[in-house]
Amino acid sequence: MFDLGMTEMLVVGVVALIVVGPKDLPVMFRKVGQMVGKAKGMAREFSSAMNDAADDTGVRDMASGLNKSLKAATNPVGTAMDGVKEAASSITDLEPDSETAKLAAKRAEDVKRIQAGTARAAAERKAREAKEAMEKAEELEAVLNESLAAKKADT
């Protein structure tokens, strides 16, 4: 509230100790705390009453409209980009019977077909690699078993 740092509060405390005295200091701090609490409560009440009055009269609706016009005045690039986004969305919202919408649907279908083909090719490649790895493992196990059998025969 007053934006006091630790050193400022220490100075205030020392001055209060000298002026008021150590006996009455706690009583004074308690009363100051009560006054600050009452002031905060009154400020809260006033703010809520003003907000209620603003809601009742429609000032907030006017303020939001004013905020939009102020935003447009202070940020013309952002407002222009909002206009471009609106225009782009109106272009992309196509009539279902138009040629452009039919072409867009065909392209979306082609994309799905390509994705399905790519996924199938990847799965087939993985299956082929797994089969080759299994054959290699079986081949190495056979060689290992032959060498173990040869060692047993030698002993």
Side-chain angles (χ1 to χ4, degrees):
M1 184 167 130
F2 293 112
D3 202 25
L4 294 175
M6 198 62 174
T7 55
E8 289 91 0
M9 289 193 317
L10 184 63
V11 169
V12 169
V14 169
V15 169
L17 182 63
I18 293 170
V19 172
V20 176
K23 182 179 179 186
D24 296 327
L25 193 63
V27 175
M28 185 198 71
F29 279 145
R30 188 176 312 117
K31 288 188 180 185
V32 168
Q34 289 173 348
M35 287 179 13
V36 168
K38 285 181 184 178
K40 283 184 178 181
M42 289 170 53
R44 247 190 321 271
E45 251 180 71
F46 181 75
S47 285
S48 66
M50 293 305 286
N51 287 337
D52 291 343
D55 289 341
D56 291 342
T57 59
V59 171
R60 288 212 181 177
D61 296 336
M62 291 184 348
S64 67
L66 181 62
N67 283 340
K68 288 180 183 176
S69 62
L70 283 175
K71 179 186 171 197
T74 58
N75 189 3
V77 174
T79 307
M81 289 305 294
D82 290 342
V84 169
K85 287 177 186 173
E86 288 176 20
S89 68
S90 68
I91 290 172
T92 57
D93 296 337
L94 303 172
E95 300 259 345
D97 296 333
S98 69
E99 289 298 317
T100 307
K102 291 176 184 175
L103 182 62
K106 183 181 180 308
R107 286 187 178 165
E109 185 180 318
D110 290 343
V111 165
K112 288 179 183 175
R113 217 177 271 130
I114 290 169
Q115 288 173 342
T118 304
R120 181 180 308 280
E124 289 172 354
R125 180 183 51 84
K126 286 181 181 178
R128 186 181 68 247
E129 289 174 353
K131 182 181 174 188
E132 290 172 0
M134 187 60 85
E135 290 172 355
K136 182 72 172 179
E138 289 173 354
E139 181 181 313
L140 291 172
E141 286 176 350
V143 169
L144 180 64
N145 287 338
E146 287 176 11
S147 67
L148 287 175
K151 281 186 181 181
K152 278 187 177 180
D154 289 339
T155 55

